[in-house]
């Protein structure tokens, strides 16, 4: 009798986490608005390897612990069949007393989407508890080992990812 009860509780948690990820708000800085003060320590919960789904396939984020005021990370998107679709390399960085997210996209052959001297920049909008709002991207810890990410792509609208922290 104990196993069905645990299974039911797990199902409720997964449904609740999925619903929370689906409701994640994506914010932007208003014209003339500055990013709030913040340090990289506020994002320590992001550390780890995260596996999940998004864009109709399998998604993975690996985020290293902070060093020198930055946390570096990698995103990898594959099809359901496992075919590599694209990469992202990124860094959450302390800059002038606040945080920003710097990101570059790459094709499977490592050719960059952006030109060789540029990257996408997402300034911090707010940190509220375990949710970090960057201008166009939200990261939220929605369970002990569950993370939701919402990205405003512009032309494709808001794309949502739900991850589970991978532990061996």
């Amino acid at each position: 009798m104990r196993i069905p009860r645990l299974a039911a509780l797990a199902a409720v948690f997964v449904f609740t986490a999925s619903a929370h990820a689906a409701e994640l708000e994506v914010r932007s800085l208003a014209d003339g608005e500055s990013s709030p003060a913040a340090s990289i320590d506020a994002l320590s919960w992001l550390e780890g390897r995260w596996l999940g789904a998004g864009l109709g396939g399998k998604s993975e984020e690996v985020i290293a612990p902070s060093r020198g005021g930055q946390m570096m990370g990698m995103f990898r998107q594959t099809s359901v069949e496992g075919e590599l679709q694209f990469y992202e390399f990124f860094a959450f960085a302390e800059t002038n007393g606040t945080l920003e997210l710097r990101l570059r996209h790459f094709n499977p052959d490592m050719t960059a989407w952006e030109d060789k001297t540029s990257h996408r920049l997402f300034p911090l909008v707010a940190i509220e508890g375990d949710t970090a709002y960057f201008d166009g991207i939200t990261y939220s810890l929605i369970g002990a080992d569950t993370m939701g990410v919402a990205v405003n792509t512009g032309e494709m609208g808001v794309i949502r990812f739900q991850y589970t922290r991978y532990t061996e």
Side-chain angles (χ1 to χ4, degrees):
M1 219 36 144
R2 188 175 189 116
I3 292 175
R5 181 175 288 188
L6 288 175
L9 287 173
V12 167
F13 174 76
V14 169
F15 176 77
T16 303
S18 297
H20 184 79
E23 297 170 1
L24 279 179
E25 177 184 12
V26 179
R27 297 182 185 174
S28 294
L29 287 173
D31 288 339
E33 184 179 11
S34 298
S35 294
S39 77
I40 200 70
D41 295 336
L43 302 180
S44 64
W45 61 268
L46 282 168
E47 295 173 18
R49 182 175 180 211
W50 300 88
L51 304 173
L55 296 172
K58 297 177 183 177
S59 305
E60 176 182 14
E61 294 212 22
V62 179
I63 303 172
S66 67
R67 298 283 185 271
Q70 295 193 21
M71 294 174 71
M72 60 164 266
M74 177 276 303
F75 170 88
R76 175 171 46 191
Q77 182 68 36
T78 59
S79 67
V80 173
E81 297 79 24
E83 182 180 336
L84 183 61
Q85 296 176 319
F86 69 95
Y87 292 107
E88 293 174 354
F89 291 99
F90 56 89
F92 298 96
E94 289 181 355
T95 304
N96 299 320
T98 188
L99 297 172
E100 62 186 23
L101 171 59
R102 303 171 188 155
L103 181 144
R104 289 196 61 175
H105 299 88
F106 295 88
N107 293 312
D109 66 359
M110 294 299 290
T111 54
W113 294 11
E114 295 82 12
D115 72 46
K116 72 180 193 174
T117 61
S118 69
H119 57 274
R120 300 278 316 271
L121 182 64
F122 303 89
L124 181 67
V125 175
I127 295 177
E128 297 173 359
D130 289 329
T131 301
Y133 299 95
F134 290 87
D135 195 341
I137 301 179
T138 300
Y139 292 82
S140 185
L141 188 64
I142 55 178
D145 289 314
T146 306
M147 175 175 66
V149 178
V151 181
N152 185 349
T153 65
E155 66 280 352
M156 293 175 27
V158 176
I159 297 174
R160 299 174 192 289
F161 300 85
Q162 183 168 316
Y163 297 100
T164 300
R165 191 187 312 263
Y166 179 80
T167 56
E168 292 185 77

